């Protein structure tokens, strides 16, 4: 929806948001209604989408529905999930449905509603360049605007190994384009690569198809030693609270890297419900339909090459991770890469590149996600979902989205953050809470 009225005509803005995924949409929602302080958020997509090509039947949200755009930091905000349900007349139905996990499509529809309702969010406009001469000059493919601050929330882009690049969309595809390709897989031999939630959903979909659409063979390869679940238990979820994020931020760079790797499955594991559904479907195939030769489970292996054969099929070579020197070759017709995402390159920041501090490939941020740079202190570059090394695993998911955006909004408004709820756990030896004994 194009921006209308005052904001579109404002010649100078308090803030320009680059990207309007969940991260910047949260900020746009929190800033909406700050009178006399125009903000504008640009997104290059024609309209809002949220991993739409991965909305496989049955896909569910991996976090609580309270982790919407605003509720955890501003529960009375009009862009909450509850407002969405209320406005659409389905609040009782949602309750009565008793979803153990909310369908991802419903959350996507909520996000689209929040984007459309917010007149400060503009689609079909790509930010191409940001210059600075006392104010930020943001050049899009349609115009130039100036702003005191910018918030970069450009998310991530699909990643595949380099040797797969020549075959993309020609036999190989990234899971982010799954629905687009999934129609033509009947009778084919397929390998799904990646042992996270996306790989699991893809494998489940392929082995659950009716006979007329079923592939001839589906293998599921993972680097991990087994198909591991996400750890969604109570104390692990305390890693996804603001207090832990603050503790994490103050640790040394090497300790932070160590913790991100140690706690990966608290974020990147597979939902237990998906694992159970896969296991039950394998049981059906093998023992009830007696169709045992249609799948292969190959964890603890690394794909080292995927070469095209003379007949146009592929030979995918796997190296076993424990048995050194052992490899296997899979003849397949299609490869689905569920190998994750990497930060979107931010070429539009090139004019400012030499003025920005970095740490281990990330821009360095302060406690409010403002980039360390040599510009004036009242001109800020905020970044969202770009500093996992400094803020930990929650930086890339929805858990602290509303809290992070509130931090940024408070900094812009010059007010301090309200007291945050403390974890039950004493993360730091310096807190001393758990050691105060009274006689
Ligand atoms: C399939 C899938 C399911 C997920 N499910 C969950 C979940 O259940 N729970 C959870 O916590 N996390 C989940 N995540 C992780 C995370 O919540 C999402 O990746 C989320 O979309 C990140 O939001 P974002 O705004 O940072 O980035 P994005 O959603 O990637 O949005 C970035 C936006 O920036 C725009 N953009 C990029 N460059 C420019 C430019 N130059 N100019 C203008 N616009 C630009 C893009 O068009 C895009 O819309 C999931 C991820 C995937 C892939």
């Amino acid at each position: 929806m194009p921006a209308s009225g005052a904001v579109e005509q404002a010649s100078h803005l308090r803030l320009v948001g680059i990207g309007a995924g969940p991260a910047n949409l949260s900020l746009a929602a929190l800033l909406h209604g700050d009178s006399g302080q125009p903000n504008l958020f640009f997104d290059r997509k024609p309209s809002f989408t949220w991993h739409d090509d991965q909305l496989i039947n049955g896909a569910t949200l991996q976090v609580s529905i309270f982790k919407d755009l605003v509720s955890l930091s501003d529960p009375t905000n009009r862009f909450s999930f509850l407002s969405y349900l209320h406005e659409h007349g389905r609040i009782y139905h949602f309750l009565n449905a008793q979803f153990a996990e909310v369908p991802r499509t419903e959350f996507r529809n909520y996000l689209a509603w929040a984007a459309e309702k917010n007149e400060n969010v503009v689609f079909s406009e790509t930010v191409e360049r940001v210059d600075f001469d006392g104010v930020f000059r943001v050049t899009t493919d349609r115009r130039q605007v100036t702003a005191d601050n910018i918030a970069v929330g450009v998310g991530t882009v699909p990643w595949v190994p380099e040797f797969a690049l020549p075959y993309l969309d020609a036999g190989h595809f990234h899971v982010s384009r799954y629905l687009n390709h999934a129609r033509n897989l009947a009778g084919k031999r397929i390998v799904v690569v990646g042992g996270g939630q996306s790989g699991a959903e893809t494998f489940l979909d392929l082995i659950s198809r009716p006979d007329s659409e079923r592939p001839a063979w589906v293998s599921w390869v993972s680097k991990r030693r087994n198909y591991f679940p996400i750890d969604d238990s109570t104390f692990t979820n305390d890693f996804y609270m603001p207090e832990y994020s603050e503790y994490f931020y103050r640790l040394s760079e090497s300790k932070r890297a160590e913790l991100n790797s140690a706690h990966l499955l608290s974020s990147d594991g597979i939902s237990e419900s998906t694992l159970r559904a896969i296991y039950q479907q394998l049981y059906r195939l093998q023992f009830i339909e007696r169709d045992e030769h249609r799948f292969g489970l190959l964890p603890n292996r690394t794909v080292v090459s995927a070469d095209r054969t003379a007949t146009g099929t592929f030979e995918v070579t796997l190296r076993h991770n424990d048995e050194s020197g052992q490899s296997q070759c899979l003849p397949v017709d299609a490869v689905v890469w569920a190998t994750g995402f990497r930060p979107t390159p931010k070429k539009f920041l090139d004019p400012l590149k030499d003025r920005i501090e970095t740490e281990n490939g990330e821009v360095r941020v302060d406690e409010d996600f403002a980039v360390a740079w040599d510009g004036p202190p009242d001109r800020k570059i905020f970044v969202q979902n770009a500093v996992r090394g400094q803020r930990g695993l929650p930086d890339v998911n929805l858990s602290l989205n509303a809290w992070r955006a509130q931090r940024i909004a408070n900094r812009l408004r010059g007010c301090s953050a309200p007291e945050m709820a403390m974890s039950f756990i004493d993360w730091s030896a310096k807190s001393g809470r758990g050691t105060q004994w009274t006689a």
Side-chain angles (χ1 to χ4, degrees):
M1 175 176 171
S4 60
V7 172
E8 197 177 26
Q9 278 150 33
S11 57
H12 181 72
L13 299 144
R14 168 174 59 170
L15 175 112
V16 163
I18 305 171
N24 262 351
L25 266 186
S26 175
L27 183 60
L30 294 172
L31 295 177
H32 188 269
D34 278 9
S35 59
Q37 297 283 355
N39 311 292
L40 200 51
F41 290 77
F42 295 115
D43 199 291
R44 64 184 173 191
K45 288 189 294 209
S47 60
F48 184 83
T49 57
W50 188 54
H51 310 303
D52 282 14
D53 237 2
Q54 269 189 262
L55 290 172
I56 298 170
N57 261 342
T60 56
L61 201 58
Q62 281 193 300
V63 292
S64 158
I65 194 60
F66 288 122
K67 294 181 171 178
D68 66 9
L69 295 174
V70 291
S71 293
L72 292 184
S73 60
D74 183 10
T76 60
N77 189 291
R78 60 186 282 203
F79 295 101
S80 67
F81 185 72
L82 207 58
S83 289
Y84 161 79
L85 292 179
H86 185 260
E87 189 171 306
H88 289 82
R90 59 178 81 150
I91 202 158
Y92 285 97
H93 310 80
F94 184 81
L95 284 180
N96 293 348
Q98 299 183 5
F99 292 113
E101 291 161 344
V102 174
R104 212 152 66 214
T105 308
E106 180 62 338
F107 194 70
R108 173 248 179 254
N109 292 346
Y110 151 68
L111 294 172
W113 165 85
E116 276 158 26
K117 256 190 116 58
N118 190 333
E119 68 278 11
N120 301 334
V121 179
V122 182
F123 286 92
S124 290
E125 202 158 341
T126 303
V127 171
E128 294 179 334
R129 188 182 167 92
V130 179
D131 295 275
F132 185 79
D133 59 4
V135 292
F136 293 100
R137 292 188 183 278
V138 180
T139 308
T140 76
D141 50 358
R142 294 188 178 187
R143 58 178 143 170
Q144 192 178 78
V145 293
T146 60
D148 290 339
N149 307 283
I150 58 172
V152 179
V154 290
T156 51
V157 285
W159 183 86
V160 299
E162 216 167 304
F163 58 77
L165 288 173
Y167 309 123
L168 274 190
D169 295 331
H172 290 219
F173 57 92
H174 188 267
V175 70
S176 59
R177 312 231 320 124
Y178 182 68
L179 292 186
N180 196 47
H181 289 271
R183 281 185 295 276
N184 308 319
L185 299 176
K188 297 203 167 146
R189 297 160 302 168
I190 301 165
V191 58
V192 178
V193 186
Q197 180 67 17
S198 295
E201 287 173 5
T202 305
F203 182 66
L204 177 60
D205 180 62
L206 291 170
I207 60 171
S208 306
R209 294 181 163 204
D211 277 350
S212 60
E213 293 171 34
R214 201 173 275 180
W217 179 270
V218 191
S219 297
W220 183 19
V221 176
S222 172
K223 256 190 196 167
R224 295 180 187 160
R225 287 215 149 69
N226 200 339
Y227 303 105
F228 288 120
I230 191 167
D231 182 349
D232 190 25
S233 56
T234 50
F235 286 110
T236 299
N237 270 319
D238 275 36
F239 288 147
Y240 294 80
M241 285 177 68
E243 192 191 355
Y244 185 77
S245 177
E246 302 289 46
Y247 164 74
F248 183 94
Y249 174 71
R250 289 190 296 267
L251 295 173
S252 68
E253 190 181 329
S254 61
K255 182 55 73 181
R256 284 188 257 121
E258 182 191 325
L259 294 182
N260 273 348
S261 138
H263 300 154
L264 192 67
L265 289 175
S266 67
S267 152
D268 288 12
I270 303 167
S271 295
E272 295 232 19
S273 56
T274 312
L275 286 172
R276 206 173 308 118
I278 290 173
Y279 207 96
Q280 290 174 357
Q281 179 59 7
L282 295 178
Y283 184 98
R284 265 181 229 111
L285 289 175
Q286 182 143 334
F287 299 122
I288 301 175
E289 295 182 24
R290 298 194 180 277
D291 201 5
E292 64 258 44
H293 296 301
R294 283 178 179 264
F295 60 85
L297 292 173
L298 305 168
N300 205 16
R301 288 154 173 90
T302 305
V303 179
V304 290
S305 65
D307 300 320
R308 202 196 312 253
T309 65
T311 56
T313 62
F314 297 93
E315 273 181 9
V316 174
T317 306
L318 315 177
R319 196 188 56 224
H320 196 278
N321 295 339
D322 290 339
E323 298 169 345
S324 68
Q326 292 298 315
S327 59
Q328 288 164 285
C329 186
L330 301 178
V332 298
D333 304 299
V335 185
V336 186
W337 293 100
T339 36
F341 296 79
R342 297 289 184 273
T344 304
K346 299 167 190 64
K347 268 200 78 55
F348 51 83
L349 282 181
D350 277 358
L352 307 178
K353 206 164 77 187
D354 297 338
R355 306 182 62 177
I356 289 175
E357 284 180 36
T358 57
E359 174 185 312
N360 215 0
E362 285 180 355
V363 294
R364 191 193 298 279
V365 292
D366 70 11
E367 66 282 3
D368 294 330
F369 300 88
V371 169
W373 77 306
D374 70 358
D378 59 346
R379 297 287 183 265
K380 299 272 185 296
I381 303 167
F382 296 101
V383 291
Q384 307 220 60
N385 184 358
V387 290
R388 175 175 152 143
Q390 292 161 82
R391 278 292 181 173
L393 301 167
D395 202 52
V396 293
N397 79 18
L398 300 171
S399 289
L400 291 180
N401 215 24
W403 170 76
R404 181 179 57 202
Q406 185 72 55
R407 269 291 174 89
I408 297 172
N410 284 344
R411 183 75 165 261
L412 284 169
R413 292 170 182 150
C415 59
S416 58
E419 194 66 21
M420 47 178 191
M422 305 295 270
S423 166
F424 289 137
I425 300 169
D426 271 356
W427 295 113
S428 167
K430 294 175 203 145
S431 82
R433 272 185 295 151
T435 54
Q436 289 166 6
W437 294 89
T438 47

